[in-house]
Amino acid sequence: MKDPITKPIRQAVLGKDESETTRPEDYVHKAEEEAEEDPTSPSYDIHWSSSLFAEHATNCSSRWWFSSTLFPLIAATFGPLATAFNICALVMDWRVVVDPSSTEATGIDIRDPDWLDAVNAISLFTSVAANLMLLAHMTGRISFPVAQPATIVLYYLTSFLLIGLVTAAPAHLELPAGEDRTFSQGYYYAIIAAAVTFVLGSMMVITAFGVYIGHYSREFKLTMSQRTLIFQTTTFIGYILAAGAVYSKVEGWDFLDGVYYVDVTILTIGFGDFSPKTHLGRSLLFPMAVGGILFLGLIIASIRTLVLERGTKKVTVRMLEKARQTALKKGDLSSGTIQVSPGKKRNIAEGTTSELGRREQEFNIMREVQRKAGKTNSLIALSVSTGAAFFLWFVGAAVFQQAELKSQGWSYFEALYFTYVSLLTIGYGDFYPQTNSGKPAFVFWSLLALPTLTVLIGSIGDSISDGVGELTLWIGDHLPEKSSALKDLKGEANKSKKEGGGGFQEAKPPGFMSDGAGTDEESQSAGDRGDEDAKAQNDVHSASKAGKHYRRYLIMRQIKTTVKQMDATPPRQYSYAEWTWILKLLGEDESSSTSHRSAEATEDAEDAGHPDSKSWSWLGQNSPLMSGEDEPKWVLQRLMDLLEKDLKEEGDEHNDNETQKGLDELNNKR
């Protein structure tokens, strides 16, 4: 029975009618007589596979994370950059007459024709409109069927207008005969803006295609961190343009030279080719540099959060699924043998005859698969970020070598040296761009190098941290205790091992319901842990006596413990003993085979994840360890859903009883 009071509340929260909503779990309705049964027994059940493990869909969609999430986010952050370059292309004339004995920076501008300025202004308008349309969709102001095609068309229109101007300029913009002439920085900014908007439009096409074939939702809601990154990058780009305009006025530079100076200053490169000469310019440097560097630090933090933490998490889900499938396919499932890695096999039935022991073996093997997938993911992240950095280094060197070849006669090695010094923000000043093509290329290249170097440093740091952790664990296993210092080191290593090495914090077993779980009590003695075991057993015994009300108390107590574990860094991992207790609260008995399937059946079963399928394996797609969520978050969601359903059923039952009681009283009066 639907509660008429809570239904409008659910509609307000969920944004749709409850009848149209797929609940996180499909529960089996509880009969009245179950109130006196063991509240932790499997009879107090939920439909386990249908949603408990609806995360299988998440695993499948994680491979589309780039097109569904990353591409729109890239478009929203780089779109303002393309617009800024469009502004740079509009505010400066495209032709320059240069004295052969001086640099291009001292050239005399030639006024552009009105038709070029008009088309340039239209391209700027379409660029701004494309960014606004994309943000309107991301914030839910305009629907996907309207916003996405409009964004794609506007991005491509901006690109094609600029490409037309760039290709037409050499033939239709006449230059004085006999003069040494060239194009200004504005012309090259137009080339970069055309290329960027074309790439962004193509990314939006890929995103739309993924929606069309049904791989992910058409709705893209910005999270707070995504909103923050977009706001920060947009403000940062506007800050560079505004500061460049101020310095061009104060120091008498061209506007685009002012933009180049601000970029070099804020990125802490400091070539020294441009520096303030006036008292006002030097005074403005204090707030300008501090503000720009603060912006830079905020953007670096946001990029790390989104790319290294959330992006890597999505990729990890996919890598874990591939590692799981590989382990099952390369093993001998008929004999229960799983190949965790080359030369390393595990047998599920080894050393045990009970169902609980078999399940624990499955759990431990799955943990090994997790660690292997984590190492593979770290290696891939490091390889990709390193490859991107080397690409920027070598390709950037080729671009700068061609741009400065005529003016400064750079060799490719000198260009490599220049890009290396710039990439690491050293900036000796012995090499720096002087041409009208080299300066815009450097501004764009340096802004690309910022996120690339951030991701690379983060990946290297994570790899070193993992390596140090593994070395510490190895020391804990192999180092002899020959001195007090070595003994202390080994003790720390063993403590680290108990906390769950390999990049995760593991909950200590087996104090299931300890109020201290999640705190720094790893030094707890074996006797104390034995007391906790006895207490956990008493909890179960008391629950059996007290019925469903005491069970709710146990659930609330576990929720309280789980909340404390939500923000653990690194993420919390539960031991098998703790999972056994948590699953018991959720209606699963690890010692009973009624809801379990073998690893062999998991790989080939067509009904894996089907709403009517209640059997699952720790090595299957429906395993909680395959959800892609942090384990405390997964547990907390299930416990709260179960408690909500339990309380609602009792409330509905109470309302029915009260209604029946009222009817009985009315009949008695008659």
Side-chain angles (χ1 to χ4, degrees), residues 30-41 43-44 540-552 646 650 653:
K30 176 175 66 65
E32 293 182 2
E33 60 268 21
E34 291 179 335
E36 298 301 323
E37 295 181 0
D38 179 2
T40 61
S41 68
S43 61
Y44 196 83
V540 178
H541 179 69
S542 300
S544 301
K545 290 182 59 178
K548 61 183 179 180
H549 298 294
Y550 193 79
R551 183 175 188 273
R552 292 172 189 162
D646 189 14
E650 182 170 331
E653 182 180 337

Side-chain angles (χ1 to χ4, degrees), residues 147-469:
Q148 192 73 3
T151 302
I152 293 171
V153 169
L154 289 170
Y155 272 139
Y156 277 137
L157 182 58
T158 301
S159 179
F160 293 150
L161 287 173
L162 290 174
I163 290 173
L165 288 180
V166 168
T167 54
H172 295 83
L173 296 181
E174 297 182 358
L175 293 170
E179 298 282 355
D180 189 5
R181 66 261 189 200
T182 186
F183 288 105
S184 70
Q185 295 184 51
Y187 174 81
Y188 294 101
Y189 273 112
I191 295 176
I192 298 173
V196 172
T197 50
F198 183 84
V199 171
L200 297 182
S202 301
M203 286 182 174
M204 293 297 95
V205 169
I206 296 174
T207 299
F209 176 74
V211 172
Y212 176 75
I213 61 180
H215 278 290
Y216 43 81
S217 171
R218 63 178 57 185
E219 300 300 326
F220 183 90
K221 298 296 183 181
L222 287 173
T223 64
M224 181 57 65
S225 57
Q226 291 168 346
R227 292 173 185 266
T228 300
L229 178 61
I230 293 173
F231 174 77
Q232 288 171 348
T233 52
T234 303
T235 308
F236 180 68
I237 293 167
Y239 186 87
I240 291 178
L241 293 181
V246 170
Y247 269 94
S248 65
K249 183 70 174 178
V250 171
E251 298 294 332
W253 300 332
D254 287 339
F255 169 65
L256 299 185
D257 284 337
V259 171
Y260 165 78
Y261 160 75
V262 173
D263 175 77
V264 170
T265 301
I266 290 178
L267 296 182
T268 67
I269 300 174
F271 292 127
D273 50 341
F274 283 88
S275 60
K277 300 295 189 292
T278 65
H279 183 76
L280 178 59
R282 290 169 178 169
S283 300
L284 292 175
L285 176 65
F286 294 106
M288 186 274 289
V290 171
I293 292 173
L294 287 177
F295 267 124
L296 194 62
L298 293 173
I299 292 174
I300 289 174
S302 298
I303 290 173
R304 176 171 177 82
T305 299
L306 288 172
V307 178
L308 288 182
E309 295 178 7
R310 302 193 177 182
T312 301
K313 189 179 214 178
K314 292 287 185 180
V315 177
T316 299
V317 173
R318 178 60 184 158
M319 296 304 302
L320 178 57
E321 171 62 13
K322 292 180 68 175
R324 186 193 68 83
Q325 292 180 1
T326 301
L328 292 175
K329 290 178 180 178
K330 291 188 176 182
D332 184 5
L333 296 181
S334 61
S335 62
T337 301
I338 309 296
Q339 181 168 312
V340 179
S341 60
K344 187 177 183 180
K345 295 185 178 182
R346 294 286 184 269
N347 192 288
I348 296 175
E350 182 179 357
T352 181
T353 57
S354 66
E355 176 66 12
L356 187 64
R358 187 190 69 81
R359 293 283 287 183
E360 185 172 6
Q361 286 281 64
E362 277 191 1
F363 178 87
N364 293 334
I365 292 173
M366 191 61 201
R367 281 289 192 223
E368 291 190 60
V369 172
Q370 275 187 318
R371 286 191 286 269
K372 178 179 180 294
K375 292 179 181 179
T376 302
N377 182 66
S378 298
L379 181 61
I380 291 176
L382 180 60
S383 301
V384 170
S385 56
T386 302
F390 273 88
F391 177 83
L392 273 179
W393 182 18
F394 286 98
V395 175
V399 171
F400 291 122
Q401 192 259 342
Q402 290 298 317
E404 302 297 327
L405 181 61
K406 182 179 178 181
S407 175
Q408 302 187 69
W410 283 6
S411 65
Y412 184 67
F413 176 78
E414 289 173 329
L416 273 177
Y417 168 80
F418 162 74
T419 50
Y420 183 81
V421 169
S422 302
L423 188 63
L424 298 181
T425 68
I426 298 172
Y428 290 125
D430 48 348
F431 288 89
Y432 54 86
Q434 297 182 11
T435 61
N436 288 340
S437 59
K439 292 175 183 177
F442 180 82
V443 171
F444 179 61
W445 177 87
S446 62
L447 293 176
L448 283 181
L450 166 66
T452 304
L453 194 62
T454 299
V455 173
L456 175 60
I457 293 174
S459 298
I460 293 175
D462 291 342
S463 299
I464 293 175
S465 177
D466 292 343
V468 171

Side-chain angles (χ1 to χ4, degrees), residues 1-3 6-12 14-23 26 648:
M1 183 182 73
K2 299 292 183 183
D3 188 348
T6 60
K7 184 175 180 181
I9 300 176
R10 291 187 178 278
Q11 292 178 359
L14 298 175
K16 60 179 82 172
D17 192 280
E18 188 177 10
S19 62
E20 302 174 356
T21 304
T22 302
R23 294 288 299 154
D26 298 321
K648 185 179 185 305

Side-chain angles (χ1 to χ4, degrees), residues 111-132:
R111 184 74 175 86
D112 288 337
D114 293 337
W115 63 266
L116 189 144
D117 290 337
V119 177
N120 218 338
I122 293 174
S123 69
L124 175 60
F125 173 79
T126 56
S127 178
V128 173
N131 294 327
L132 293 177

